[in-house]
Amino acid sequence: MKMKRFSRRHCLQGLGGVTLALPILESFSDRSALALPTPAATRFVAIKSYNGQRDLYWNPTTLPALTQVGEAIRRAPLSTFPGGVNPICGCFAPYHSKMNFVQGLDVVPGLGHNRGGMLGNFNDYTPTIDQVMAYSSKVYPIEPAIRSLLLGYAPADGGSFSYTMSSGTLVQLPAYRSVQAAFDRVFFSANPAQARAQQTIVDRVYQDYQGLRSNPRLSKNDRLVVERHLTTVQELQTRLKTQAPLALGSGSCPSDPSGARPVVGAEVPSSLLEIEQYYRDLCDLIVVAFACGATKVATLQIEFPKAFTPNDWHGHSHDSETEPNPVELEINQWIAAKIVLELIKRLDVAEASGATYLDNSVVVWGNEISIGAAHRSENMPTVMFGSAGGKLTTGNFVSYWNEAATKVPTVVGGRPYNQLLVTLLQSMGLEAVDYERPGQPGYGGASTTDPGRAAYYAPLLNQIGERLPVIAV
């Protein structure tokens, strides 16, 4: 009998027409052509929390000697912060070699509370960079199953922090708040009715998996990759079938985000473990969606912290900056350790290229504003993980603060946040021609009506289309 042919990007076939896409398998590369290994895909994840940070907890606890590497650019290896840069980011210490902590990035126009500012929509008519990536042929040479996977709970409006242009109008995109609905979108896009079957996906493709597993060409490493992928999918789907979903308000992926606004307080479950499991499930979903090639772009918003209502979190973040606030510290430590770190650990496993998914990704954790009490947009909280397949350096604490500048009262003294946006776009393979508008270098707005701010940033605008020094290769 003729042996079944497998490919590097294989789908297991199952009962009822179910398919389960697998990670790339190097065992089935075209050896006869002596082809070079296909470069691993680059992925992008933006994680956004809300209400700002507090200087007391976000600025470095102790600052080692920094090396001047350019005009108003100083750096130090993250290894010189053995206990973490600050009390919030201490849990990231094991990943210092694969991350960057950045100070001194300012949103020039200035922002208060907002949705899309972290990714370039400074309350204007600019799509967010994740959507520029999602519709780029350089990111997706072939039509993907999902251009961008937008996840997480937002009680204010039910939407994501992603914006796109539709018929000349800037539109806020909805987010999947239900893990089950997002799971069905990833694995049952072609036939949503399949999601109602009692058997799990892995059970229904098990016979085909046995055929793949017995194939003599399947290497030991690829067998481990397949088994890890199937285990994660199986465990996630089993949890979703057995655990009660969180009461996150009406709808799981509303077509009209403004129409899915829950009552504050009613959506808060009694168990912290339930909330943590919700975010772990979303992190697992991002990882399996990347592994099977369903998408390369994902966002995750965090506006559902611990057992606090959103209003409680907002209040704590806006208390006086001069006094300790252990609740605000605890909330952000929880976000760092239970959500951001959990995703990083899940991504830091080897894929076909030999590097890890994290190495071939860029993950950014940011916020809507910097200082909550003052609604400031200078020195935006920014932590980056992964090297985007070698396009970024890692292991850096970088400060872009201009310590020598004469600062007016409304200016901290950093450089335009736009340069981070350019760095992220180019790390995904885009060039200026792919995202710049005529007569507008870089990405995102850079004008302000405040005379003091305008005077400070004016000399920096000639660099607005450039990548960030030190971080960009």
Side-chain angles (χ1 to χ4, degrees):
M1 186 174 72
K2 186 177 179 180
M3 183 175 291
K4 180 175 178 179
R5 293 182 61 84
F6 293 93
S7 65
R8 294 175 76 243
R9 175 62 80 190
H10 182 68
C11 289
L12 296 179
Q13 307 295 322
L15 300 174
V18 169
T19 62
L20 174 59
L22 296 177
I24 288 177
L25 304 176
E26 284 299 329
S27 304
F28 301 99
S29 60
D30 187 358
R31 296 177 181 175
S32 62
L34 298 178
L36 293 174
T38 303
T42 307
R43 295 95 172 182
F44 174 77
V45 186
I47 306 173
K48 181 180 180 181
S49 47
Y50 289 81
N51 300 317
Q53 294 287 354
R54 290 168 57 87
D55 280 348
L56 181 65
Y57 302 128
W58 190 256
N59 286 339
T61 305
T62 59
L63 199 61
L66 301 180
T67 302
Q68 194 83 21
V69 293
E71 185 179 355
I73 306 171
R74 299 173 299 155
R75 74 167 295 274
L78 281 172
S79 59
T80 58
F81 296 87
V85 174
N86 59 35
I88 294 171
C89 296
C91 64
F92 299 148
Y95 288 90
H96 276 177
S97 64
K98 296 191 177 188
M99 65 174 278
N100 292 303
F101 186 97
V102 184
Q103 282 191 316
L105 297 179
D106 305 346
V107 175
V108 177
L111 289 175
H113 290 292
N114 66 89
R115 282 288 172 211
M118 177 186 163
L119 296 182
N121 175 31
F122 303 146
N123 288 337
D124 57 12
Y125 291 97
T126 306
T128 47
I129 60 169
D130 63 308
Q131 294 307 300
V132 178
M133 299 170 185
Y135 287 89
S136 168
S137 60
K138 293 180 178 177
V139 175
Y140 293 118
I142 301 174
E143 182 76 17
I146 305 170
R147 289 196 171 272
S148 60
L149 186 61
L150 312 179
L151 304 171
Y153 178 64
D157 55 23
S160 68
F161 56 100
S162 298
Y163 288 76
T164 192
M165 295 299 295
S166 177
S167 302
T169 301
L170 191 70
V171 177
Q172 181 189 18
L173 296 171
Y176 283 96
R177 296 183 293 165
S178 161
V179 187
Q180 181 68 68
F183 183 94
D184 294 347
R185 175 68 180 89
V186 171
F187 291 104
F188 299 108
S189 298
N191 183 4
Q194 292 175 344
R196 292 190 290 270
Q198 291 302 309
Q199 275 189 307
T200 66
I201 300 173
V202 174
D203 288 336
R204 296 167 76 183
V205 300
Y206 187 73
Q207 184 174 355
D208 200 22
Y209 162 67
Q210 289 289 78
L212 171 63
R213 196 174 188 280
S214 62
N215 191 299
R217 286 184 59 181
L218 187 69
S219 69
K220 180 180 179 180
N221 285 341
D222 276 351
R223 183 176 293 111
L224 292 175
V225 168
V226 172
E227 290 176 350
R228 182 181 66 217
H229 182 64
L230 265 62
T231 298
T232 303
V233 173
Q234 175 89 336
E235 290 177 349
L236 178 57
Q237 190 177 16
T238 300
R239 285 198 304 270
L240 297 180
K241 284 178 174 291
T242 57
Q243 68 189 16
L246 296 184
L248 298 178
S250 60
S252 58
C253 183
S255 58
D256 176 14
S258 64
R261 184 170 183 169
V263 177
V264 172
E267 71 279 6
V268 180
S270 58
S271 170
L272 172 59
L273 294 178
E274 289 179 313
I275 306 175
E276 292 178 354
Q277 188 62 60
Y278 171 73
Y279 284 112
R280 281 197 295 269
D281 290 345
L282 290 177
C283 290
D284 278 340
L285 189 61
I286 290 173
V287 173
V288 295
F290 282 174
C292 70
T295 191
K296 299 177 185 177
V297 179
T299 66
L300 175 61
Q301 59 189 352
I302 306 166
E303 198 172 347
F304 194 51
K306 299 198 65 174
F308 299 95
T309 67
N311 279 356
D312 285 338
W313 187 14
H314 178 270
H316 284 293
S317 69
H318 287 48
D319 283 347
S320 171
E321 283 290 322
T322 59
E323 298 178 2
N325 187 325
V327 174
E328 176 71 4
L329 173 61
E330 184 184 6
I331 288 173
N332 283 289
Q333 287 176 327
W334 178 82
I335 292 171
K338 297 299 184 179
I339 303 176
V340 181
L341 181 61
E342 287 298 314
L343 177 60
I344 297 307
K345 290 192 294 187
R346 284 161 167 74
L347 287 172
D348 198 34
V349 296
E351 59 174 320
S353 65
T356 70
Y357 289 97
L358 179 61
D359 297 331
N360 293 322
S361 301
V362 54
V363 181
V364 184
W365 177 30
N367 208 295
E368 60 172 336
I369 47 181
S370 56
I371 302 173
H375 298 88
R376 298 284 287 272
S377 57
E378 300 86 26
N379 191 27
M380 294 292 286
T382 305
V383 184
M384 304 170 66
F385 300 86
S387 68
K391 300 184 186 71
L392 304 173
T393 67
T394 54
N396 303 293
F397 171 90
V398 188
S399 174
Y400 298 110
W401 279 354
N402 188 347
E403 297 292 333
T406 301
K407 303 177 182 63
V408 298
T410 55
V411 174
V412 168
R415 66 174 55 210
Y417 187 88
N418 310 65
Q419 287 190 255
L420 173 65
L421 303 176
V422 167
T423 302
L424 297 173
L425 286 164
Q426 294 196 14
S427 74
M428 290 294 288
L430 278 71
E431 301 173 274
V433 67
D434 301 315
Y435 55 78
E436 286 190 348
R437 298 177 181 178
Q440 182 178 329
Y443 197 84
S447 62
T448 175
T449 57
D450 183 293
R453 294 172 68 85
Y456 172 79
Y457 292 115
L460 300 172
L461 297 186
N462 60 357
Q463 305 174 41
I464 202 169
E466 300 175 7
R467 296 177 297 170
L468 285 172
V470 179
I471 291 175
V473 174

